Each structure stands twice: as C-alpha cells, then as structure tokens.
C-alpha cells in the first residue's frame, strides 16, 4: 500500500520537474499533481501505520483520496507554495499562480479562496463521516489534524516549522497560559 503511494508521489514529482524544466505553466491539470506532491495522499498511510485503530479499510479509504484528504492536500500545497516560492522559481508551476492565471485574481485572493474552500470541504466531510462512517474517529482525525498543523505552521508568508519562535505565543497560549473559562 505505501509502496504504491510512494511511487505515485515520485511520479508526480517527475511531472512537476518536467514542467519546470520546460518552462511550462499548467492550468487546472496542475492541481492533480499538486495534491499528490503535497504528500497528503502518501502520509495517511504512514500515520495509520502507528495507529492502533487503523484497519485495512482505513488504508484503502485513504488511498482512494477522499474529499477530506484532497482538501487537506490542497491546504498543504497552497500554503507551502505561498511560503517557499522564491523569485528564481517564477517560471515553475505553482498552484497559486495557476489559479490566479485561470481566475484573473491576485495571489492573496487566490490563496484565501482556495484555502477557505478546502476548509469548507473538510468541515462538510467531517459532518458526513461523523454520521455515516464506519471508520474510527482517530483515523479521520489524523487527516484533519494534518491540515490544522499546516495551517498553523505555514501562514502569512512564514514557516514556523523552520522558525519556531513565530508561534511561541500560540503554543504558550495553548499549553502554558490557557484561557480560563
């Protein structure tokens, strides 16, 4: 299972590299590749490997890339692209640029629209999965928590994973000085 997902990830990286080398800036077809290169279709299989509640059905479910996994991948890819794009990469295919070109909007609008829509998809799926799913809640939570972590770590043109001082206040408010109720 993970070997298949890893091959899929590598193939997507090769397509991305080919586009960069050719100077090709794709339109809508980029999101299929971008969702895979975000790693979110590969990582659930790794997350589940250490999860007691994960069953074979959970692995199968994650590999078909349900809407909630896709939305998590969109958030990861868009926020990652927005932070790590450098001037020398302007020729490369990036999800934000492809969407901006297609919709004729600014980068800020594109990022906000896409991330907001992805969160709506996650919330919709959480409601549906909460009502009809036979999957254990921890399996679904892994996907949502990944998107939440990315949304906290990569925001406003900063990467708190590399520069952790950026989110010291957030971490402190959660664990050291929580809000009193």
């Amino acid at each position: 299972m993970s070997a298949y997902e890893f091959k899929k990830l590598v193939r997507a990286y090769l397509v991305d590299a080919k586009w960069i080398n050719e100077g090709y800036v794709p339109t809508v077809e980029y999101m299929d590749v971008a969702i895979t290169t975000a790693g979110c279709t590969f990582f659930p299989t790794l997350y589940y490997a250490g999860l007691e509640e994960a069953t074979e059905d959970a692995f199968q479910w994650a590999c078909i890339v349900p809407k909630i996994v896709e939305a998590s991948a969109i958030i990861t890819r868009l926020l990652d692209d927005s932070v790590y794009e450098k001037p020398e990469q302007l020729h490369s295919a990036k999800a934000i640029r492809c969407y901006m070109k297609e919709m004729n909007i600014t980068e800020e609008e594109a990022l906000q629209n896409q991330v907001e829509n992805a969160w709506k998809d996650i919330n919709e799926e959480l409601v549906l999965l909460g009502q009809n799913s036979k999957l254990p809640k921890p399996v679904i939570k892994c996907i949502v928590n990944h998107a939440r972590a990315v949304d906290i770590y990569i925001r406003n043109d900063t990467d708190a994973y590399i520069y952790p001082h950026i989110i010291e206040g957030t971490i402190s408010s959660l664990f050291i000085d929580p809000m009193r109720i």
Side-chain angles (χ1 to χ4, degrees):
M1 186 83 58
S2 289
Y4 170 77
E5 289 302 315
F6 188 71
K7 287 177 188 176
K8 190 169 140 185
L9 179 65
V10 171
R11 284 186 191 108
Y13 282 139
L14 290 172
V15 169
D16 201 25
K18 179 182 175 194
W19 287 340
I20 290 169
N21 288 332
E22 293 173 354
Y24 175 67
V25 179
T27 55
V28 290
E29 76 265 29
Y30 180 68
M31 280 313 286
D32 290 335
V33 173
I35 286 168
T36 304
T37 60
C40 295
T41 58
F42 174 66
F43 290 128
T45 59
L46 296 176
Y47 297 152
Y48 297 162
L51 193 62
E52 191 175 305
E53 294 87 350
T55 62
E56 183 66 27
D57 289 342
F59 282 96
Q60 295 293 332
W61 172 81
C63 287
I64 62 166
V65 190
K67 192 175 186 179
I68 195 168
V69 172
E70 181 179 332
S72 178
I74 288 170
I75 290 168
T76 301
R77 172 50 56 217
L78 294 174
L79 294 178
D80 187 62
D81 281 358
S82 72
V83 170
Y84 294 110
E85 186 173 272
K86 297 177 179 34
E88 65 270 15
Q89 294 173 317
L90 290 177
H91 67 281
S92 68
K94 296 293 179 193
I96 292 291
R97 191 170 316 101
C98 296
Y99 187 73
M100 287 169 52
K101 181 179 175 184
E102 192 172 310
M103 303 303 288
N104 196 30
I105 57 177
T106 67
E107 182 175 348
E108 293 78 25
E109 291 171 317
L111 186 63
Q112 183 176 347
N113 289 351
Q114 291 281 77
V115 171
E116 189 175 296
N117 288 338
W119 275 115
K120 287 177 183 176
D121 288 345
I122 287 174
N123 289 330
E124 178 184 319
E125 285 294 291
L126 281 173
V127 170
L128 294 173
L129 289 169
Q131 295 169 350
N132 305 322
S133 180
K134 294 180 179 147
L135 291 169
K137 285 190 188 332
V139 166
I140 298 165
K141 235 177 165 180
C142 280
I143 306 300
V144 178
N145 286 341
H146 176 85
R148 288 175 178 154
V150 168
D151 210 348
I152 288 173
Y153 275 97
I154 304 175
R155 263 300 188 182
N156 304 320
D157 297 327
T158 58
D159 180 356
Y161 185 75
I162 294 174
Y163 306 105
H165 67 278
I166 293 169
I167 61 165
E168 280 179 7
T170 303
I171 300 297
S172 179
S173 69
L174 287 171
F175 298 108
I176 297 170
D177 302 315
M179 194 170 74
R180 306 266 184 240
I181 297 180

